[in-house]
Structures are given as C-alpha cells and as structure tokens.
Amino acid sequence: MGVLRLQLPTDPRWVNIVEKNIEEILTDHAWCEQKAATNAITIITNNSEHQDLVKDLLALAKEEIDHFEQVHNIIIKRGLKLGRERKDEYVNELYLYMKKSSDGSRVSSLVERLLFSAMIEARSCERFKVLSENINDVELSVFYRDLMESEAGHYTTFITYARKYGVGIDVEKRWRDWLEFEESVIANYGKNETIHG
C-alpha cells in the first residue's frame, strides 16, 4: 500500500457495513479524532524538552480537534447525535504491544509511542481512502478524501520524529516489526461500522 507500507488492505466491502449505520461511523470517527488530539498532548507532556516536536505536535493536536469539530458538524447537520465514546479494540491491541515493546528507557518509550501513533494514522488514512473511493454518499466521499491527506501528513510527522529521536534504536527494524504485528491484528477487523472495526 505504497508509502504507508501496510501489509493487509481493507476489503472494500467493509464500506457496505458502514453505510448501514452512518450515525455509528460518524460517532466513532469523532471520538477517534478526540483521542488522537489527546495522544499528541500526552507525547508533548512527556517529551517537552524537544521544542520542534512540541511545536509540530501542538499543530497536529489542533488539527485533530478541528477534525472532531468537522465530524460533529456533519452529525448535527444530518439531524443525528454524537453518541458516547466508543472503545477501540484495535487501538487497545496496539497500545498493549507498545507497552510490551518498550525497554523502559525514555528514548525507547518515545520511539514506541511515536510508532504506535504512526501506525494508527497509517491505518486511519487507508480506511479513509477506502471510504472516499467506495461510499455512495457524495459529501462523505469528498470529506474522507480530504481527511485522508491530512492523516498521511500526521503519519509522516510521527515517523520522522521516531527516526530523529530514536538514538541507538534501529527504528526501521522496529517499524517493520510494527507493520508485521499490525497485519496480524487488522486481519480480525473490518466487520463493524467503526473506523478501525
């Protein structure tokens, strides 16, 4: 899958499931954006000595909150309601892998958090592409096309900082390990009307 290097593409038939419950996919998507903003702030909080990282992740967090607002506006416009926050089993599996993969050092913890973040952005980008190309709803098709490009930029930001600050760590090997692990995880998803489900 090109620059993202994902090992397993999403079956386009997943969109058929999504289209049966637009309110659910929009609610899940909104909360994904909120969690992405929170994640960026967490990285800043734990690594505030890196001025360039702080600056770029502040911009990223603002963009994620803007995306949350955009999704919320679509929900309101369609007369739907933003439901309660959803549990994201896919992200939880990646989170546990991240915790297990760190050797406990600050550098390792930062690299693993950045690769965890890059992985989520890469898969979200790929899912948005599948949505934009297959959903029958014209407004959502355009919306997800625009967001796909933004997610690709976020993915690049996280990977770039993992390489920059991963001194003494073979970041390329760690990314290949992440890609392999994610392939085994995502194989169990694609059956629900959620962004990663």
Side-chain angles (χ1 to χ4, degrees):
M1 275 171 277
V3 69
L4 299 175
R5 292 165 58 187
L6 296 173
Q7 305 298 297
L8 188 64
T10 296
D11 186 329
R13 289 176 295 182
W14 165 71
V15 178
N16 299 334
I17 298 167
V18 167
E19 288 181 314
K20 290 174 184 166
N21 195 343
I22 295 296
E23 186 169 23
E24 179 62 26
I25 190 74
L26 290 174
T27 286
D28 182 72
H29 178 194
W31 290 116
C32 284
E33 299 291 356
Q34 179 272 323
K35 289 177 212 171
T38 302
N39 178 60
I41 296 297
T42 299
I43 296 171
I44 289 169
T45 302
N46 294 330
N47 303 278
S48 56
E49 69 275 19
H50 302 307
Q51 287 185 349
D52 52 352
L53 180 142
V54 170
K55 182 172 174 289
D56 285 346
L57 291 197
L58 272 173
L60 188 149
K62 288 176 185 175
E63 197 167 281
E64 299 288 20
I65 285 298
D66 180 60
H67 292 168
F68 179 94
E69 184 179 22
Q70 287 180 48
V71 179
H72 190 235
N73 287 342
I74 291 173
I75 289 170
I76 292 168
K77 179 180 161 189
R78 291 174 177 231
L80 306 173
K81 284 202 170 42
L82 174 65
R84 302 290 291 174
E85 182 182 348
R86 308 301 199 243
K87 190 171 183 179
D88 193 326
E89 298 291 350
Y90 165 82
V91 170
N92 287 342
E93 288 193 55
L94 297 187
Y95 182 81
L96 291 174
Y97 179 72
M98 172 189 73
K99 298 298 276 185
K100 187 182 77 173
S101 298
S102 173
D103 67 11
S105 71
R106 289 199 75 226
V107 172
S108 176
S109 295
L110 173 58
V111 166
E112 294 304 321
R113 187 74 183 215
L114 291 168
L115 295 181
F116 160 79
S117 305
M119 192 78 261
I120 296 167
E121 296 288 350
R123 182 55 70 182
S124 297
C125 178
E126 189 262 353
R127 285 284 170 99
F128 291 169
K129 183 175 191 292
V130 171
L131 276 169
S132 72
E133 292 174 350
N134 295 282
I135 200 162
N136 290 314
D137 187 308
V138 175
E139 180 189 28
L140 291 182
S141 175
V142 172
F143 179 63
Y144 281 111
R145 176 76 196 178
D146 291 344
L147 257 59
M148 175 192 80
E149 294 170 10
S150 177
E151 300 296 301
H154 296 172
Y155 154 80
T156 302
T157 296
F158 288 123
I159 285 284
T160 299
Y161 278 113
R163 289 174 179 144
K164 179 170 185 177
Y165 289 117
V167 179
I169 295 173
D170 187 343
V171 174
E172 289 308 311
K173 181 188 181 307
R174 286 300 308 130
W175 184 236
R176 287 194 300 273
D177 292 344
W178 268 97
L179 289 164
E180 188 177 313
F181 176 73
E182 197 269 352
E183 179 184 11
S184 70
V185 170
I186 201 65
N188 299 315
Y189 294 90
K191 304 170 186 76
N192 294 309
E193 60 275 20
T194 56
I195 295 299
H196 302 121

